[in-house]
């Protein structure tokens, strides 16, 4: 449990999330967060309105260029990471369960090449299975309760094509005990779960830049052709 008092908007969001979980719809509350923000990104606690710095650093470090390769952004929020990948030459699809978030992306980036879609991670089109050269997952897995974790990690992993890359940015917890969420940061055994889903960990970087430790992990799906 966090020892810092939550600001009123975060406290409200935890209440919305807890109610949704009780009702058996642990992912539907995101729409409420975006809708009640009424176009004010400051009311969406995770929205940075700029690309994720851990993604940008990784792209620079690894000198990654899209060269028209396909990329998928999971739980894309307001679209900054999708736009950053499109700017690096990827052919990007980005989805979110929230209709309001996707409408917001389209409004923010009217001339974008990104294909923004409203989609539930647990009900994506079968044609997306193992279809993407690069998959970016930042903080969506941790935004869903622990009881869904194995399924969530399995779904995320299945988007990665043979020979493709998954980059995960998430907070890490140093215990297997259930934390008070959302968010519910990932434990070491949960990071390992990506490997049980057929991926190989290539590189891991750990950061302590804010109150929650952040981990960035690069996984590959080894080409078996
Ligand atoms: C904590 S936010 C992170 C947003 C963004 N990836 C980032 O790092 O800034 C989690 C995002 O995942 C989306 N999301 C949650 N559950 C989802 C699901 N089942 N399918 C698709 N998107 C989902 C939410 O609407 C929200 O935009």
């Amino acid at each position: 449990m966090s020892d810092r008092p939550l600001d009123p908007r975060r406290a409200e969001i935890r209440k919305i999330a807890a109610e949704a979980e009780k009702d058996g719809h642990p992912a539907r509350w995101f729409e409420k967060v975006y809708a009640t923000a009424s176009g004010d990104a400051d009311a969406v606690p995770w929205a940075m309105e700029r690309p994720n710095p851990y993604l940008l650093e990784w792209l620079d470090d690894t000198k990654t260029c899209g060269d028209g390769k396909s990329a998928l952004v999971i739980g894309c929020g307001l679209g900054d990471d999708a736009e950053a990948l499109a700017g690096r030459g990827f052919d990007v699809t980005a989805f979110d369960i929230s209709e309001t978030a996707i409408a917001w992306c389209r409004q923010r980036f009217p001339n974008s090449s990104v294909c923004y879609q409203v989609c539930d991670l647990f009900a994506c089109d079968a044609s997306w299975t193992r279809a993407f050269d690069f998959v970016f997952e930042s903080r969506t897995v941790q935004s869903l309760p622990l009881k869904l974790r194995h399924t969530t990690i399995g779904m995320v992993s299945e988007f990665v094509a043979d020979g493709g890359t998954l980059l995960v940015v998430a907070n890490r917890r140093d215990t297997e005990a259930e934390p008070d969420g959302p968010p519910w940061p990932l434990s070491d055994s949960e990071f390992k779960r990506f490997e049980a889903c057929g991926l190989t960990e290539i590189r891991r970087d750990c950061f302590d830049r804010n109150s929650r430790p952040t981990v960035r992990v690069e996984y590959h799906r080894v080409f078996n052709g």
Side-chain angles (χ1 to χ4, degrees):
M1 188 151 171
S2 167
D3 46 7
R4 284 183 308 128
L6 292 173
D7 70 51
R9 178 65 174 159
R10 278 183 184 268
E12 185 192 347
I13 286 171
R14 281 206 170 180
K15 205 167 141 237
I16 296 173
E19 279 162 10
E21 207 185 333
K22 236 188 281 160
D23 294 346
H25 299 295
R28 290 221 192 126
W29 60 274
F30 295 97
E31 171 56 23
K32 200 162 176 184
V33 172
Y34 286 107
T36 57
S38 306
D40 175 9
D42 289 342
V44 180
W46 50 82
M48 294 185 275
E49 293 187 282
R50 63 187 162 88
N52 189 312
Y54 301 111
L55 169 64
L56 295 183
E57 281 172 18
W58 182 87
L59 289 169
D60 288 342
D61 279 8
T62 55
K63 299 186 173 42
T64 297
C65 290
D67 291 329
K69 286 194 227 104
S70 58
L72 182 71
V73 179
I74 294 171
C76 65
L78 299 188
D80 296 275
D81 299 331
E83 293 299 322
L85 288 167
R88 301 280 178 130
F90 283 97
D91 176 12
V92 182
T93 301
F95 73 94
D96 202 286
I97 197 168
S98 162
E99 278 178 34
T100 302
I102 293 300
W104 203 333
C105 292
R106 291 182 180 138
Q107 188 189 22
R108 289 183 75 207
F109 307 108
N111 302 315
S112 175
S113 64
V114 175
C115 175
Y116 287 108
Q117 297 205 24
V118 179
C119 178
D120 181 351
L121 171 65
F122 303 108
C124 289
D125 198 283
S127 65
W128 288 6
T129 303
R130 302 212 181 183
F132 294 92
D133 300 312
F134 182 75
V135 176
F136 184 55
E137 148 49 20
S138 162
R139 304 185 293 170
T140 300
V141 172
Q142 71 184 48
S143 73
L144 293 164
L146 250 46
K147 66 178 180 205
L148 296 176
R149 187 117 317 166
H150 275 200
T151 316
T152 309
I153 290 174
M155 295 306 224
V156 168
S157 305
E158 272 303 287
F159 294 125
V160 184
D162 280 349
T165 298
L166 166 68
L167 191 69
V168 174
V169 172
N171 296 123
R172 175 184 172 272
R173 70 181 199 276
D174 56 10
T175 159
E176 293 298 327
E178 177 153 2
D180 189 21
W184 295 272
L186 279 69
S187 68
D188 288 338
S189 75
E190 291 164 8
F191 281 108
K192 276 256 161 241
R193 181 81 198 151
F194 288 97
E195 298 198 272
C197 294
L199 302 174
T200 303
E201 183 173 323
I202 300 295
R203 170 179 169 163
R204 179 184 291 231
D205 299 291
C206 303
F207 306 94
D208 236 333
R209 293 178 192 165
N210 52 36
S211 55
R212 289 199 195 109
T214 298
V215 180
R216 179 182 61 205
V217 190
E218 174 185 342
Y219 300 94
H220 285 190
R221 184 180 295 288
V222 176
F223 187 63
N224 284 319

